[in-house]
Structure formats: C-alpha cells, structure tokens
Amino acid sequence: QINSNASLTVSLAQTPYCKKHRYDPQNPLCAHIIFCGSVVKVNDSEAGLAKKALFSRHPEMEGWPKDHNWFFAKFNITNIWVLDYFGGLKIVTPEEYYSVKP
C-alpha cells in the first residue's frame, strides 16, 4: 500500500539452456529479462479471470484461510530490459513486448 513498485528478473539460467551451451549464469549470453512496474489490486471486472488463472495453476490456494485478507493483483509493467549480449541492456517497451507473436 505504501510502495507498489516491483521488479521481476527471469534468466535462461533457470532452464537447461545455459548449462547445455556451457554459459556461466553471469555471462550475458545466458540471457535474462528484467520487468519493472507496479503491483496493483485487480478491479471487480478482472477478478474472475485472475481467480481462474491462479487457481487453475495452484488449486490448493483456493482453500487458504480467508482471514489472511488475500487479494488478487496484477503486475503493471512499465519498463523491460533485456540483457542477452555484450554491450549493455536493450530496452523493450511493454507495447513491443505484448505485440510479439509466440
């Protein structure tokens, strides 16, 4: 409630990729991405989708104690940095990130 800023870093070191290619996890070729933004409570129109997404992946959470005042939140991404090669970060806008087709 006081400071909703957050960041999340995901690295290829979390997969077999870097080990397979013999990349040290600190080597830029063992790429990682950093998402920065804020965590905000979802509104009523988003709550149903949030519940479905969370409980489909973590069904045991549906039975967690209600008196702990859990709430559903989302990560509003404002900045994305990719480190995947030597020479510094690449900046990706959220619009670019979300427009990519898998």
Side-chain angles (χ1 to χ4, degrees):
Q1 292 178 348
I2 295 171
N3 184 349
S4 65
N5 292 326
S7 62
L8 172 69
T9 298
V10 182
S11 171
L12 283 177
Q14 297 169 269
T15 71
Y17 180 85
C18 296
K19 190 172 186 175
K20 176 182 171 185
H21 289 86
R22 297 187 178 167
Y23 294 150
D24 182 284
Q26 296 302 313
N27 182 328
L29 297 176
C30 185
H32 68 270
I33 187 168
I34 303 161
F35 300 94
C36 298
S38 59
V39 176
V40 295
K41 190 174 183 177
V42 299
N43 62 40
D44 290 340
S45 67
E46 299 168 309
L49 179 61
K51 285 180 184 182
K52 184 177 178 181
L54 180 66
F55 296 151
S56 68
R57 292 171 181 85
H58 307 283
E60 72 283 355
M61 291 179 75
E62 195 165 4
W64 283 11
K66 305 286 186 227
D67 62 349
H68 286 240
N69 298 316
W70 305 107
F71 63 90
F72 292 92
K74 61 184 176 181
F75 187 22
N76 281 338
I77 298 169
T78 56
N79 297 296
I80 303 169
W81 301 315
V82 179
L83 182 59
D84 64 350
Y85 201 74
F86 300 93
L89 294 167
K90 293 176 183 73
I91 297 172
V92 177
T93 67
E95 294 78 22
E96 291 170 317
Y97 177 79
Y98 287 118
S99 70
V100 171
K101 302 279 187 259

